[in-house]
Amino acid sequence: RVEGAGAVGMVVVNTDDSMISPGDSAREGGCVNIPVVGIRSSDLALLADCEEDQRVSLTYKPISVLTTEQRKHLRALSSLWRKEDKLPEMEVDESVASEQVLASVDGLLHRHELVLLRIAADGEGSQMVSLQAFEDVFDVATVLADNLGATVVHITAKTILLYREGTNEEVKENKICLPQDGEKSELQMDLGELVGVEMLGFDFQK
């Protein structure tokens, strides 16, 4: 409705002082064609304190849309990298500040493009975890991806596989080459290997 009314962008304010993903692009926001930025209640307070003639900039990172074949390729590549002990992995713990988690994941994506995140179990051994106000692992995955300009390739109750195309010199020589229009991946997905890394679960599709 906002887009239909002629808006060129939208800012969504979380009533809680925590980061949000405004419109789950995988489940709810597939038809949104304008930039949408989510901010915390404390961010709104800062904006309210600005002078009338003071300019404020809000930035967002567009997220790449992957084809089914590209997702298959990245899942197979993650399996291969893990077998070769090359897959970057990181544990996401609810006790760690969101900004710190984002900075750490951003650094891994910057260097490697493909990252596997493991959700830390709570003290009762639950497979699901909340990161501050995030309700479940789907929200964690979406918030991380939307804030970092990454794409959720695959998730389970314990893992999140993220991809972000690298443009820096650091990944230039080892850049991931995705299948393009009509191409098939040369990698074969080893289902037995994927079960071993708990990668059988839910695929995010646009």
Side-chain angles (χ1 to χ4, degrees), residues 177-198:
C177 294
L178 295 176
Q180 299 306 309
D181 295 340
E183 295 180 348
K184 295 291 185 180
S185 173
E186 297 180 356
L187 299 178
Q188 297 298 317
M189 188 156 44
D190 186 341
L191 294 181
E193 188 70 23
L194 288 176
V195 170
V197 297
E198 299 165 347

Side-chain angles (χ1 to χ4, degrees), residues 75-89 114 116 118 159 193-199:
R75 289 181 62 193
L77 185 61
S78 70
S79 175
L80 176 63
W81 279 8
R82 189 174 190 278
K83 188 175 182 180
E84 298 176 349
D85 198 26
K86 292 170 52 179
L87 180 63
E89 298 187 24
L114 188 65
L116 180 67
R118 294 191 176 277
T159 60
E193 188 70 23
L194 288 176
V195 170
V197 297
E198 299 165 347
M199 289 301 296

Side-chain angles (χ1 to χ4, degrees), residues 8-12 21-23 32-38 59-60 146:
V8 297
M10 181 170 66
V11 177
V12 179
S21 178
V32 178
N33 299 308
I34 60 174
V36 181
V37 178
T59 60
Y60 76 101
D146 286 356

Side-chain angles (χ1 to χ4, degrees), residues 12 19-30 32 34-39 59-65 71 102 105-106 109 117 134 137-153 160-164 204 206:
V12 179
M19 291 181 299
I20 60 170
S21 178
D24 184 329
S25 56
R27 293 180 287 175
E28 301 171 1
V32 178
I34 60 174
V36 181
V37 178
I39 64 175
T59 60
Y60 76 101
K61 297 180 180 180
I63 298 175
S64 301
V65 178
R71 291 179 184 276
L102 286 171
V105 177
D106 184 55
L109 289 169
L117 306 179
F134 305 153
V137 69
F138 293 95
D139 294 326
V140 174
T142 305
V143 170
L144 288 172
D146 286 356
N147 277 275
L148 297 174
T151 300
V152 180
V153 178
I160 302 169
L161 186 64
L162 291 180
Y163 167 77
R164 187 178 69 192
F204 268 54
K206 291 288 183 182

